[in-house]
Amino acid sequence: MRFVLVHAQVYPHGSTDALPFATMGSGSLNAMAVFEAGYKDNMTKEEAMSLVCRSIESGIYNDLGSGSNVDLCVITKDGTDYLRNYKFLQHKTYQRVHPVVYTKGTAPIIKERIKLLKNVVVTEGDSMDMS
């Protein structure tokens, strides 16, 4: 099987390019670097999936807005295959216990001041419009 990435890019101002690959989004510069280093013509499907996965990983690891897992969408003449959670990268290394219980004396009280509120007037306004 021959697998070639082909993408026609349409820019916001209307011009177009025919490219062998393109990247978009906040991690696109990192992904583009991986594509430029690893792309070759006539890749197999598995090679192309690996390249796309590595490029998304680069975006995830080097951009705070790129999420934490790799989703792939493989489009062939036989149909479309959505591979959700193809690879999950950001595993937590700890388990948080809820609720957090601190033992007495964990945070010492340095100064305590209690102020009684006197002559507090509560006024009601118009009700909030919820429509």
Side-chain angles (χ1 to χ4, degrees):
M1 171 185 279
R2 221 180 82 164
F3 192 84
V4 179
L5 298 172
V6 178
H7 185 80
Q9 178 75 36
V10 180
Y11 296 99
H13 49 73
S15 67
T16 60
D17 272 338
L19 305 168
F21 53 83
T23 62
M24 295 177 70
S26 61
S28 65
L29 293 176
N30 300 300
M32 183 59 76
V34 174
F35 270 103
E36 288 173 344
Y39 176 82
K40 62 185 181 188
D41 288 332
N42 299 319
M43 297 174 79
T44 65
K45 178 180 175 182
E46 291 74 24
E47 288 173 328
M49 288 173 63
S50 175
L51 177 64
V52 171
C53 184
R54 288 194 320 272
S55 71
I56 294 171
E57 286 176 7
S58 178
I60 289 170
Y61 286 130
N62 297 293
D63 176 68
L64 294 175
S66 290
S68 61
N69 64 309
V70 176
D71 295 336
L72 295 182
C73 177
V74 180
I75 303 170
T76 65
K77 64 180 177 157
D78 299 323
T80 304
D81 196 11
Y82 295 101
L83 305 171
R84 296 279 297 156
N85 297 317
Y86 181 76
K87 192 168 186 182
F88 189 77
L89 304 174
Q90 305 287 331
H91 295 285
K92 290 186 177 181
T93 57
Y94 66 93
Q95 284 292 333
R96 183 176 292 172
V97 178
H98 289 286
V100 177
V101 178
Y102 297 101
T103 58
K104 188 173 183 175
T106 301
I109 299 172
I110 298 172
K111 181 177 178 182
E112 184 175 327
R113 180 176 159 198
I114 300 172
K115 185 173 181 179
L116 299 175
L117 299 177
K118 296 180 183 177
N119 302 324
V120 175
V121 178
V122 178
T123 57
E124 298 277 337
D126 295 332
S127 61
M128 186 167 73
D129 183 12
M130 299 295 287
S131 59

